[in-house]
Amino acid sequence: MPPAHPPRSVLYVPGDKPRAIDKARTLNADAIILDLEDAVAPEHKPAARDHIRQALRTPWPVPVLIRVNGLNTPWEHDDRELALTAGASGIVLPKVEHAHDAHALSLGLPIWAMIETPHGVLNAPHIAAVPGVTTLIVGANDLARALRTQPHPDRTPLLHALSSVVLAARAHGKTPLDAVYNDIRNMGGFTRECQQGRALGFSGKTLIHPGQIEAANQAFGVTATEAAEAQALIDAWDAARAEGKSIATHQGALVEQMHVDEAREVLALYSATNRV
């Protein structure tokens, strides 16, 4: 199932936890990633593949992707076969460092490439340019470790890398998704990080706990007030154009075509996520 809009909330679910997979079907996340990689111990990976195959035998209300194990790992081929035959909406490929990594996984399914190493950040524009890649996901935990940064509540050491991924994704018309937030008890910190991610240009956030879904949907969504403001701007533009004007003003600010295009994107997201 293709997403109807850029996902605001994308929940990782361990593939070896069938009860968690069943629960995920009932949640309000915009997309689900069934995980075969870091969340699953080596001895549990065969069972996880079986659970995922079983889960995908019945339709889901949202796109469901599979995070496979990385290229050149012992599980690579079995994971690929599962992704191809189980009916997944796409493949999440970890630790993508070069464009040829994405080319090597070209299986006819959308690829969500994880950027979580220094090479991945530096090569993000080339990775985003690969036709099969539709999404770039920041993997901040591995990236921070590779960069030897210290934890910071505002992610200051990672800001350059985060913006680099957004820039690469937007330059090639792909979707940038922000990294997970580890402290599931700190909803205030999670909300602030969502707001920061949206300010940086991310479309949504990857999640590790169902309790984070609603806050992510709100942070990366559109409120009724924002939708009304967007409509008012469009109305002002339409009125000006009807009078033969090339520009308009709204609430004292200059309005040009790019502002109208942005307002229409806001309304489209509001309509898609509020079913109006």
Side-chain angles (χ1 to χ4, degrees):
M1 168 185 292
H5 54 84
R8 304 161 297 169
S9 54
V10 181
L11 180 67
Y12 286 103
V13 181
D16 62 344
K17 300 291 190 296
R19 285 163 62 173
I21 295 174
D22 289 341
K23 180 180 179 180
R25 192 186 293 273
T26 69
L27 300 174
N28 196 33
D30 284 345
I32 299 293
I33 296 173
L34 299 179
D35 195 7
L36 288 170
E37 199 218 7
D38 284 347
V40 180
E43 64 270 22
H44 296 155
K45 292 186 189 294
R49 281 191 288 271
D50 291 339
H51 294 317
I52 291 174
R53 188 181 299 279
Q54 179 65 32
L56 290 175
R57 284 178 178 161
T58 54
W60 284 65
V62 297
V64 180
L65 297 95
I66 299 174
R67 179 161 76 163
V68 299
N69 288 277
L71 302 175
N72 302 314
T73 64
W75 312 283
E76 173 186 357
H77 297 294
D78 288 339
D79 289 357
R80 283 194 191 190
E81 181 182 1
L82 174 67
L84 274 174
T85 60
S89 302
I91 298 174
V92 178
L93 181 62
K95 297 180 178 63
V96 180
E97 295 194 310
H98 305 280
H100 60 69
D101 295 337
H103 281 297
L105 196 71
S106 181
L107 302 176
L109 288 173
I111 297 173
W112 292 18
M114 296 198 68
I115 309 299
E116 44 191 337
T117 67
H119 275 120
V121 174
L122 292 175
N123 291 318
H126 305 293
I127 296 166
V130 175
V133 172
T134 64
T135 302
L136 300 185
I137 305 175
V138 175
N141 290 329
D142 286 283
L143 181 59
R145 181 175 180 274
L147 293 174
R148 306 296 192 270
T149 65
Q150 294 295 311
H152 192 283
D154 295 327
R155 299 195 291 183
T156 301
L158 295 178
L159 289 180
H160 174 73
L162 295 172
S163 291
S164 295
V165 173
V166 172
L167 183 64
R170 297 300 184 192
H172 293 280
K174 310 301 173 68
T175 299
L177 294 178
D178 201 357
V180 301
Y181 185 83
N182 297 317
D183 188 354
I184 61 175
R185 301 164 299 176
N186 185 359
M187 287 305 299
F190 174 75
T191 299
R192 287 191 296 274
E193 191 165 290
C194 285
Q195 292 167 344
Q196 180 197 47
R198 180 168 182 175
L200 289 171
F202 287 101
S203 292
K205 195 163 182 65
T206 49
L207 316 173
I208 58 172
H209 192 274
Q212 298 173 328
I213 293 172
E214 290 307 321
N217 285 346
Q218 291 180 19
F220 291 96
V222 176
T223 66
T225 298
E226 290 170 334
E229 291 172 350
Q231 185 61 62
L233 184 146
I234 293 171
D235 291 344
W237 171 261
D238 288 343
R241 293 294 292 133
E243 295 174 4
K245 298 177 181 178
S246 299
I247 58 174
T249 58
H250 176 62
Q251 296 181 345
L254 183 70
V255 177
E256 297 179 324
Q257 185 65 55
M258 64 176 178
H259 303 115
V260 178
D261 293 342
E262 182 179 12
R264 286 176 176 151
E265 290 175 2
V266 168
L267 287 178
L269 179 57
Y270 181 75
S271 177
T273 55
N274 289 275
R275 297 178 175 86
V276 297

